[in-house]
Amino acid sequence: MAPCATAGAQMLAASPCISASQSMLASRAAVSRISAPLGTSGFATCPRIAYSRPLGSSSVAVRAVSGESTPQGLPIDLRGKRAFIAGVADDNGYGWAIAKALAAAGAEILVGTWVPALNIFETSLRRGKFDESRKLPDGSLMEIAKVYPLDAVYDSPEDVPEDVKTNKRYAGSTKWTVKEAAESVKEDFGSIDILVHSLANGPEVTKPLLETSRSGYLAAMSASSYSFVSLLQHFLPIMNSGGASISLTYIASERTIPGYGGGMSSAKAALESDTRVLAFEAGRKGNIRVNTISAGPLGSRAAKAIGFIEKMIEYSYVNAPLEKELLADEVGNAAAFLVSPLASAITGSTVYVDNGLNTMAIAVDSPTVAS
């Protein structure tokens, strides 16, 4: 099986299919809440929205938000919008953080969860396991209107091999291919405004590229890159004009990250290239914007399976221009901005949310530099 895993911070585990709610950033990265309001250098918040702690140190002034009903400044307002987020299977990664940010801005939330993880995810929701991390800035809990089974490796029922159809982990679930998921959403809600791709999987991610098999390489491309093409292809007909789509990528698309193998770096490069092409095609065909966020590493369960995620988190902390932990909330906030009317002229872009690490040419903690 080539299950689809979520690519939160993009260093994914090689496990069969990990939700990008499981993808990567620091062990110290808190994913549990969207907290303190952004400083005056950012967007003022409306009553329903609060953004993660200010960038940098305490030198950033924090704007007090009154209880008035009239939003101040430039609020990110997604009230009346509906979002489908593909790749949420727990509360531990970027997919979940994006869902919370969109919910805090007023959007209605639908999620697509990898079929083998569906039962435990829905059970955890019902039993209140995620209640603490569901809390929004106004004290309410994020509501998920509906959870859909999804395996974005398969476009239609005809593509599903017999061994997957009969696999007990798929037993009891129906209509989980991309085409069927889009049809189900149309039947239930009519349309959406926002499409989020938080999926990735590389079954041979721990292997160097020189040792990666053809099947492993193509599986990474299928689950991590083409799945975005397929999602947009099938959801575009039910997206309202003026809507937006985003995906999650990683700096390995353009820089060499030893250990991030199995074709995953190639898959991320393809995803970014596809973002530019899809921005043109979806823009002309449906007036839909398409962007991708290049997020820093997140210490999720999926990412930890790679084996060196903690080292990447520490490297980022020490060498990035902003010497601080990267929070999943910050990626969620960036996503909320990109799909909002405030970003109405931004499309086809790779937006870095990594404390500026992508700008560095040398490691400042290198013994050579230090000497």
Side-chain angles (χ1 to χ4, degrees), residues 155 178 197 225-235 270-271 274 278:
D155 300 323
V178 176
H197 175 276
S225 180
Y226 186 77
S227 56
F228 184 44
V229 176
S230 181
L231 279 168
L232 194 53
Q233 180 184 109
H234 289 89
F235 277 85
L271 181 65
D274 291 343
L278 291 171

Side-chain angles (χ1 to χ4, degrees), residues 82-83 108 110 185-186 188-193 237-240:
R82 181 177 298 115
E108 182 177 22
L110 314 176
V185 170
K186 179 180 181 180
D188 296 337
F189 296 94
S191 64
I192 63 171
D193 304 277
I238 65 169
M239 292 186 73
N240 295 317

Side-chain angles (χ1 to χ4, degrees), residues 353-370:
V353 184
D354 61 357
N355 287 330
L357 186 63
N358 72 91
T359 66
M360 301 300 294
I362 60 174
V364 296
D365 66 342
S366 165
T368 303
V369 175

Side-chain angles (χ1 to χ4, degrees), residues 139-206:
S140 65
L141 297 183
M142 173 179 69
E143 295 294 336
I144 296 177
K146 189 164 183 177
V147 179
Y148 291 88
L150 177 68
D151 191 330
V153 167
Y154 305 107
D155 300 323
S156 65
E158 296 73 34
D159 300 326
V160 183
E162 194 60 34
D163 64 322
V164 174
K165 291 179 181 178
T166 58
N167 190 301
K168 63 181 181 180
R169 295 198 295 174
Y170 287 74
S173 294
T174 59
K175 299 181 178 180
W176 42 261
T177 64
V178 176
K179 177 182 178 181
E180 292 171 305
E183 291 172 344
S184 294
V185 170
K186 179 180 181 180
E187 181 179 342
D188 296 337
F189 296 94
S191 64
I192 63 171
D193 304 277
I194 299 163
L195 177 65
V196 178
H197 175 276
S198 184
L199 300 165
N201 184 48
E204 298 181 17
V205 67
T206 59

Side-chain angles (χ1 to χ4, degrees), residues 25-26 28-30 53 317 322-327 330 355:
L25 209 337
R28 41 186 168 203
R53 64 188 69 170
Y317 185 87
L322 298 177
E323 193 176 6
K324 68 175 188 62
E325 62 191 62
L326 175 62
L327 304 179
E330 292 172 309
N355 287 330

Side-chain angles (χ1 to χ4, degrees), residues 85-350:
I85 301 153
V88 178
D90 59 24
D91 64 344
N92 187 232
Y94 288 144
W96 179 271
I98 291 172
K100 280 189 66 178
L102 301 188
E108 182 177 22
I109 305 299
L110 314 176
V111 303
T113 300
W114 187 51
V115 184
L118 182 64
N119 184 55
I120 190 170
F121 178 65
E122 292 188 314
T123 299
S124 296
L125 277 175
R126 286 196 304 270
R127 294 180 177 176
K129 181 179 179 181
F130 302 144
D131 282 0
E132 184 61 32
S133 57
R134 285 173 60 204
K135 287 184 179 178
L136 299 177
D138 64 1
S140 65
L141 297 183
M142 173 179 69
E143 295 294 336
I144 296 177
K146 189 164 183 177
V147 179
Y148 291 88
L150 177 68
D151 191 330
V153 167
Y154 305 107
D155 300 323
S156 65
E158 296 73 34
D159 300 326
V160 183
E162 194 60 34
D163 64 322
V164 174
K165 291 179 181 178
T166 58
N167 190 301
K168 63 181 181 180
R169 295 198 295 174
Y170 287 74
S173 294
T174 59
K175 299 181 178 180
W176 42 261
T177 64
V178 176
K179 177 182 178 181
E180 292 171 305
E183 291 172 344
S184 294
V185 170
K186 179 180 181 180
E187 181 179 342
D188 296 337
F189 296 94
S191 64
I192 63 171
D193 304 277
I194 299 163
L195 177 65
V196 178
H197 175 276
S198 184
L199 300 165
N201 184 48
E204 298 181 17
V205 67
T206 59
K207 290 184 178 181
L209 189 57
L210 278 174
E211 298 175 15
T212 299
S213 68
R214 181 183 295 272
S215 61
Y217 185 96
L218 294 178
M221 294 290 288
S222 175
S224 310
S225 180
Y226 186 77
S227 56
F228 184 44
V229 176
S230 181
L231 279 168
L232 194 53
Q233 180 184 109
H234 289 89
F235 277 85
L236 185 62
I238 65 169
M239 292 186 73
N240 295 317
S241 177
S245 180
I246 56 172
S247 63
L248 289 164
T249 185
Y250 181 55
I251 192 65
S253 63
E254 52 187 289
R255 301 282 190 273
T256 301
I257 308 291
Y260 189 72
M264 281 304 303
S265 57
S266 306
K268 291 305 176 184
L271 181 65
E272 292 176 20
S273 177
D274 291 343
T275 293
R276 294 184 287 272
V277 177
L278 291 171
F280 173 76
E281 295 182 357
R284 292 299 181 92
K285 188 172 183 178
N287 189 30
I288 301 298
R289 295 182 296 107
V290 183
N291 294 291
T292 188
I293 294 175
S294 183
L298 175 67
S300 65
R301 284 185 288 276
K304 289 177 181 177
I306 297 175
F308 65 99
I309 183 61
E310 296 297 339
K311 293 181 180 179
M312 290 307 300
I313 289 166
E314 184 62 26
Y315 178 89
S316 177
Y317 185 87
V318 173
N319 292 290
L322 298 177
E323 193 176 6
K324 68 175 188 62
E325 62 191 62
L326 175 62
L327 304 179
D329 293 348
E330 292 172 309
V331 172
N333 295 338
F337 163 70
L338 285 173
V339 302
S340 78
L342 295 180
S344 59
I346 300 175
T347 193
S349 298
T350 297

